[in-house]
């Protein structure tokens, strides 16, 4: 889910575990006029495959590019040592190297996970009550946020992002973009208690 595509050309190398899944294919539904089986994603890239739940263990690495044979060994180490995305971000590299691409891919992966969590949260708090077609209000959303267990700061940011003005709840896409600007990932939403 994390990727970075600058400065890599040519060869393809992969390493992973059985849990990584098929993510290097664009499904047919995502293409306009594509074939029944989809198409492979091509082009220079470094992709990290990680679990959605913390600690976001890296379960696969795919590298497409000229320097892939030099970088895949580091990716193999990350998978074998069961490292998480935050482990990659905390690495200190002694010079500017292609290994920095792993940090960029880890940042991208965490942003992708956060966006998916925010979309899921939107569905949990912004959907009308069962059997009701009426839009939800701030009071109902606050009660739902309390039930989920968000911190006070997280709940305040969610309300600010969800109710942009007096017209009511914003669309899911707008909510995700707004909440990403207000705060980082929701640590308490995924069962991780805030520090």
């Amino acid at each position: 889910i994390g990727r970075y595509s600058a400065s890599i050309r040519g060869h393809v190398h992969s390493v992973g575990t059985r849990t990584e899944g098929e993510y290097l294919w664009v499904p047919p539904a995502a293409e306009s006029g594509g074939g029944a089986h989809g198409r492979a994603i091509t082009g220079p890239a470094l992709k990290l495959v990680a679990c959605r739940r913390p600690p976001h263990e890296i379960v696969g690495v795919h590298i497409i590019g000229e320097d892939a044979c030099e970088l895949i060994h580091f990716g193999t180490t990350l998978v074998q040592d069961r490292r998480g995305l935050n482990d990659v971000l905390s690495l200190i590299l002694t010079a500017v190297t292609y290994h920095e691409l792993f940090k960029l891919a880890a940042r991208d992966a965490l942003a992708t996970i956060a966006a998916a969590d925010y979309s899921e949260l939107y569905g949990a708090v912004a959907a009308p009550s069962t059997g009701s077609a009426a839009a939800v209000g701030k009071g109902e959303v606050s009660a739902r946020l309390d039930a989920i267990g968000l911190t006070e700061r997280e709940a305040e940011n969610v309300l600010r992002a969800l109710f942009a003005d007096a017209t009511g709840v914003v669309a899911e896409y707008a909510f995700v973009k707004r909440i990403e600007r207000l705060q980082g990932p929701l640590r308490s939403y995924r069962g991780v208690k805030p520090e």
Side-chain angles (χ1 to χ4, degrees):
I1 54 178
R3 65 184 172 79
Y4 189 75
S5 60
S7 302
I8 304 177
R9 308 175 305 269
H11 307 286
V12 177
H13 289 277
S14 300
V15 62
T17 66
R18 288 177 291 179
T19 60
E20 75 177 272
E22 295 295 326
Y23 69 93
L24 280 178
W25 289 88
V26 175
E31 297 183 321
S32 55
H37 301 299
R39 66 175 171 78
I41 296 174
T42 58
L46 184 153
K47 299 181 188 303
L48 296 179
V49 184
C51 297
R52 274 192 69 188
R53 304 251 184 237
H56 309 299
E57 181 183 326
I58 298 170
V59 295
V61 177
H62 289 256
I63 303 173
I64 303 169
E66 183 177 310
D67 302 308
C69 60
E70 300 298 328
L71 296 172
I72 197 63
H73 301 293
F74 182 64
T76 302
T77 302
L78 294 175
V79 173
Q80 288 175 341
D81 290 349
R82 303 181 73 147
R83 297 294 184 153
L85 295 173
N86 287 323
D87 293 332
V88 174
L89 292 176
S90 66
L91 291 172
I92 299 174
L93 302 169
T94 57
V96 178
T97 68
Y98 283 132
H99 289 81
E100 286 287 330
L101 299 174
F102 283 92
K103 283 187 173 186
L104 295 173
R107 280 192 206 119
D108 184 58
L110 288 172
T112 301
I113 290 168
D117 287 347
Y118 286 134
S119 291
E120 188 177 315
L121 179 65
Y122 181 88
V125 299
S129 300
T130 307
S132 171
V136 295
K138 282 189 178 182
E140 186 176 351
V141 171
S142 291
R144 291 177 184 182
L145 292 172
D146 287 341
I148 290 172
L150 296 185
T151 66
E152 185 177 328
R153 182 179 162 270
E154 287 174 336
E156 180 181 311
N157 284 338
V158 168
L159 288 171
R160 285 178 54 204
L162 195 57
F163 295 96
D165 53 33
T167 60
V169 176
V170 299
E172 180 178 342
Y173 175 79
F175 169 73
V176 170
K177 290 298 173 195
R178 290 171 56 82
I179 193 71
E180 285 175 336
R181 284 181 287 198
L182 289 171
Q183 71 181 30
L186 291 173
R187 295 178 50 86
S188 59
Y189 182 61
R190 285 281 169 205
V192 177
K193 296 296 177 201
E195 297 170 353

